[in-house]
Amino acid sequence: MIPFVATQVRAIIESLRLLESLVTVPLGLYSDIKMVRESLPFPEAAALSREETQERRTAFMTLTDTPHELALGTISSISTSLDILETTKGPDGTGPLAAPWVAQARRVLARAQARVGGDMRAKSAAKIQGLYVIVDPETTGGRPVAEVAEATLSGGASVLQLHDKVHDQRDVLAVARQIKALCDRYDSLFVMNGDPVLAVSSDSHGLHLGQSDLPITEARRILAPRQLVGSSNNSHEEAMESQTRGVDYLAL
């Protein structure tokens, strides 16, 4: 095997071993990750002894204080290696990994990403309590939005949402990044209103959607797995529909 290709294969195997240590629940998902690794036709993918397995898990746990972030990064790195290997072929014209295995691996990785992202969002959503404040340049009486935001946070707001329908995206992004930095300093959540691109670009903790905004499922395609999605609702029926579509919090 070409050294470059062999390196990608080994990276996938070791990354799957790491993921097995980071994603242990539900048991079925853990078993699927393990099965994907063990079904690779390479000696390096074989099961380790109990002592070797424990040694690696102990070493993995010392790598980071943010295992969820590491898990998402690991999933991303495996996906990148799969993309690379799908473009390579050996002398016989076939790739180093069988197409059915790659398809199964991608399905399992998608489930793992959804699980880890969901756990991270649940942790953030638990902070949505107390005072949830919306700041809008049309209602600040001419004061800079970031100034009002800081006053709000210093007064005890736990969540701050930026709503700006009057300025260009470039200007909104600059303010959004200021507010995100303030929210991090005050250990509060920053939520971008309406625009998933601005939510991603500002690294917000979440995105808030109205009934006429982008559908929740489409917004999820753009957002990072850890980013919350909330929705405004004007009736019990709308709230039930939003919940069915998987929002992390509801506003009435």
Side-chain angles (χ1 to χ4, degrees):
M1 187 182 296
I2 297 173
F4 173 77
V5 174
T7 298
Q8 296 298 322
V9 171
R10 285 196 298 271
I12 289 174
I13 293 169
E14 289 306 316
S15 294
L16 287 171
R17 291 190 191 278
L18 173 59
L19 207 55
E20 288 172 49
S21 296
L22 297 174
V23 183
T24 57
V25 292
L27 183 59
L29 178 56
Y30 164 79
S31 297
D32 284 347
I33 296 171
K34 182 179 179 182
M35 179 196 67
V36 163
R37 190 250 308 157
E38 291 183 339
S39 61
L40 278 167
F42 303 103
E44 301 94 325
L48 301 174
S49 68
R50 181 177 298 180
E51 292 74 17
E52 289 175 311
T53 299
Q54 186 57 47
E55 182 179 334
R56 293 213 182 185
R57 286 182 175 174
T58 301
F60 289 154
M61 293 300 102
T62 65
L63 287 176
T64 181
D65 293 327
T66 55
H68 285 89
E69 292 284 0
L70 180 57
L72 289 180
T74 301
I75 292 167
S76 178
S77 70
I78 296 173
S79 297
T80 298
S81 291
L82 291 177
D83 291 340
I84 292 171
L85 292 178
E86 282 192 304
T87 67
T88 64
K89 294 181 180 180
D92 59 355
T94 62
L97 301 175
W101 184 91
V102 173
Q104 175 65 8
R106 290 195 186 280
R107 287 192 291 269
V108 172
L109 290 174
R111 288 172 52 210
Q113 184 182 69
R115 173 68 192 206
V116 175
D119 288 347
M120 295 178 75
R121 294 195 306 275
K123 185 177 180 179
S124 292
K127 299 174 70 173
I128 300 178
Q129 55 182 313
L131 196 60
Y132 183 125
V133 177
I134 302 172
V135 288
D136 189 322
E138 293 190 279
T139 62
T140 60
R143 295 173 63 192
V145 172
E147 177 185 307
V148 175
E150 182 162 20
T152 301
L153 292 167
S154 67
S158 58
V159 187
L160 199 150
Q161 180 190 140
L162 174 60
H163 182 283
D164 188 337
K165 299 295 187 181
V166 297
H167 292 103
D168 293 339
Q169 279 189 318
R170 179 172 59 183
D171 297 328
V172 177
L173 178 58
V175 174
R177 285 174 171 167
Q178 285 181 285
I179 296 177
K180 170 58 163 55
L182 288 169
C183 286
D184 285 343
R185 188 193 311 167
Y186 283 91
D187 193 27
S188 298
L189 297 180
F190 168 55
V191 176
M192 188 68 226
N193 178 269
D195 192 326
V197 174
L198 285 174
V200 172
S201 298
S202 64
D203 194 31
S204 71
H205 298 103
L207 171 71
H208 191 86
L209 297 172
Q211 290 295 315
S212 61
D213 287 327
L214 193 69
I216 294 164
T217 53
E218 293 304 313
R220 287 272 191 224
R221 296 177 185 270
I222 301 171
L223 296 172
R226 61 169 180 75
Q227 288 181 296
L228 299 166
V229 176
S231 70
S232 293
N233 304 272
N234 301 301
S235 66
H236 178 265
E237 290 74 18
E238 287 183 357
M240 293 297 291
E241 177 68 15
S242 294
Q243 187 170 5
T244 299
R245 296 189 181 278
V247 295
D248 299 294
Y249 71 90
L250 298 169
L252 296 177

